[in-house]
Amino acid sequence: MAFVQGAHTWYGATLAAEEINRAGGIQVGDRRYRIELLRVDTNEMLSVTDAATAVERAITAQRVDFLVGGFRSEAVLAMTEVAADYKRIFIFTGAGLDGILAGRVDRNYERFKYLFRVSPNRSSDLARTSLLLLGEVVQAVRQQLGIPRPKVAILAERAAWADPLVETATRLIAAPPPQGYGAEVAGTWRPSAVATDVTSELTAIQRAGAQVIYTVLSGPVGVPFGRDWGRLRIPAAPVGINVEAQQETWLKATDNLGNYVATLSSLAPGVAITPKTIPFITSFQARFKEFPIYTASGAYGALYVLADALNRAGTLDVEAVVKALEATDLVGPSGRIVFDKTHDVTWGPGFTTGLGVQWVGNRMQAFWPRNWRVGDKVISYAGVRPYQLPPWVVEAWRR
């Protein structure tokens, strides 16, 4: 809870609980229940041991019935072992590592059937979406700057969830179209997720001649990245994942140097992914005076998923609730939530994919999906605008 990822998890869950309780609570069989939230600080950004201990204390001493949250994948792996030991349903809303579910729920169902993920999409799906965003920027460099084979630097925090994204990006950036981007990997840099300065990485990226930086950043390092990139006027356009740039406070946090940074996000101002998107954003901003990041919409959706499953199960019996959760088909603020056989949220058009957002003119605006073709479908949302290259990148590289 000391970081924005945890704070927004709490805010999203709080908003959902208040709405559900105000509407009369959860109908389970012939009884109605009100949701009581218990705030648990896992310290998972800094200590896996602390995270596992916090979950065990919540279950044994504070006697929680369900767990919602989790952010750092390494810590969530440890926390889910504890949840499985005590047969507690744990819906996580912040960790992306595929292996938290894949290879566990499908291979050892009886032990891990209590685990579900609402957000984000798993790392391999995050790679798919963030690489689609990268493709937009590579194409802009190619078309607007006249560079047929752009150089892409990979800047990814040292964390387990980021590893498959680095591997996939390295392979696809250099692969020829249509499978890849026909670009060149300028190098890979892996700073700490809690680094406070990335000047050395950025100057090395500039020396490598990159025109694009593919970012894979979920921790606090995202802020110094944006600040140092803008301060040094690095002539390479950043795009990928930077969770800190999903916040409304991004420009203030980066001393107004984070304009033109682009990131994958779950929401954008004024863009209705589903009929529940705008009402959620409006209620969240009215209640907490901030724009919600993905852990907020994830926790909000998780509470509704759980309430819906309890209602359909008609009992608090954990085995029946697991079965009801597996049959979930519910529309949340960020998309339609349907679990696959590993209990992971389904990725793709009509389900959840996320948005590409960019800071332009001191405001966040969406630039993807815009005419995204998938088979015979074309996916677009009203309010999505074209991506804009940073002016100093254009000045440095236009031929």
Side-chain angles (χ1 to χ4, degrees):
M1 301 293 180
F3 296 92
V4 64
Q5 295 84 353
H8 276 225
T9 299
W10 177 252
Y11 294 161
T14 298
L15 185 60
E18 290 174 349
E19 290 177 359
I20 293 168
N21 287 340
R22 199 160 49 239
I26 305 172
Q27 185 74 41
V28 182
D30 59 358
R31 293 188 60 181
R32 277 196 171 271
Y33 292 84
R34 293 177 60 81
I35 297 174
E36 180 182 351
L37 293 180
L38 182 69
R39 181 171 170 146
V40 179
D41 191 342
T42 58
N43 194 33
E44 63 193 80
M45 195 78 84
L46 303 175
S47 171
V48 170
T49 303
D50 284 0
T53 301
V55 167
E56 183 156 27
R57 186 169 55 248
I59 294 171
T60 59
Q62 297 165 301
R63 298 190 176 284
V64 300
D65 296 304
F66 304 98
L67 297 157
V68 170
F71 170 69
R72 179 57 66 208
S73 291
E74 292 87 338
V76 172
L77 274 170
M79 291 191 284
T80 53
E81 291 287 346
V82 177
D85 286 343
Y86 287 95
K87 302 185 187 304
R88 285 292 193 281
I89 289 171
F90 187 175
I91 305 176
F92 32 98
T93 58
L97 182 68
D98 289 37
I100 297 174
L101 292 172
R104 300 171 89 201
V105 175
D106 49 337
R107 294 184 182 178
N108 193 352
Y109 179 81
E110 286 306 314
R111 174 164 174 74
F112 293 113
K113 62 186 174 186
Y114 311 101
L115 311 179
F116 293 82
R117 171 160 40 209
V118 165
S119 76
N121 292 111
R122 58 188 161 214
S123 291
S124 56
D125 290 335
L126 291 175
R128 288 204 268 185
T129 313
S130 59
L131 285 166
L132 286 167
L133 308 188
L134 172 64
E136 294 272 323
V137 179
V138 167
Q139 193 64 2
V141 168
R142 191 171 278 142
Q143 291 180 343
Q144 297 177 36
L145 305 184
I147 299 173
R149 188 172 166 80
K151 289 186 176 180
V152 180
I154 299 172
L155 184 78
E157 65 189 20
R158 285 197 301 273
W161 78 276
D163 294 342
L165 279 79
V166 172
E167 188 279 326
T168 305
T170 301
R171 178 165 42 82
L172 291 184
I173 287 169
Q179 289 78 20
Y181 297 120
E184 179 181 341
V185 178
T188 301
W189 288 264
R190 301 295 300 267
S192 164
V194 293
T196 57
D197 188 302
V198 289
T199 301
S200 61
E201 288 88 348
L202 286 168
T203 52
I205 287 170
Q206 184 172 7
R207 284 197 301 272
Q211 289 91 24
V212 183
I213 305 173
Y214 176 62
T215 57
V216 187
L217 308 172
S218 69
V221 65
V223 170
F225 165 78
R227 186 188 58 231
D228 294 344
W229 172 80
R231 176 176 57 83
L232 297 169
R233 286 289 198 265
I234 300 296
V239 63
I241 297 174
N242 186 339
V243 171
E244 295 286 345
Q246 298 175 5
Q247 295 188 69
E248 198 172 33
T249 55
W250 168 249
L251 290 179
K252 182 178 180 182
T254 58
D255 300 330
N256 289 315
L257 294 167
N259 251 324
Y260 297 101
V261 167
T263 178
L264 174 64
S265 188
S266 58
L267 303 166
V271 176
I273 301 170
T274 78
K276 295 188 177 179
T277 308
I278 300 301
F280 166 71
I281 294 174
T282 302
S283 297
F284 191 93
Q285 290 184 304
R287 179 75 169 79
F288 303 109
K289 315 304 179 191
E290 296 181 27
F291 188 81
I293 68 169
Y294 81 96
T295 55
S297 57
Y300 179 88
L303 263 290
Y304 273 98
V305 163
L306 181 59
D308 174 65
L310 286 166
N311 178 261
R312 285 186 287 107
T315 172
L316 297 177
D317 175 73
V318 68
E319 304 297 326
V321 179
V322 166
K323 291 297 181 188
L325 281 168
E326 290 173 342
T328 293
D329 190 344
L330 186 143
V331 173
S334 302
R336 178 183 166 200
I337 300 167
V338 176
F339 296 116
D340 65 14
K341 66 179 182 181
T342 66
H343 293 183
D344 224 328
V345 65
T346 304
W347 179 92
F351 295 97
T352 66
T353 56
L355 296 171
V357 301
Q358 183 185 23
W359 286 89
V360 180
N362 298 322
R363 62 190 293 270
M364 182 199 298
Q365 65 183 37
F367 70 93
W368 184 93
R370 197 170 64 92
N371 300 324
W372 177 34
R373 293 184 177 279
V374 183
D376 59 353
K377 295 182 179 177
V378 178
I379 294 93
S380 289
Y381 300 122
V384 176
R385 302 179 181 186
Y387 171 81
Q388 295 186 36
L389 284 169
W392 60 91
V393 174
V394 175
E395 183 180 345
W397 294 105
R398 176 163 279 168
R399 297 175 178 174

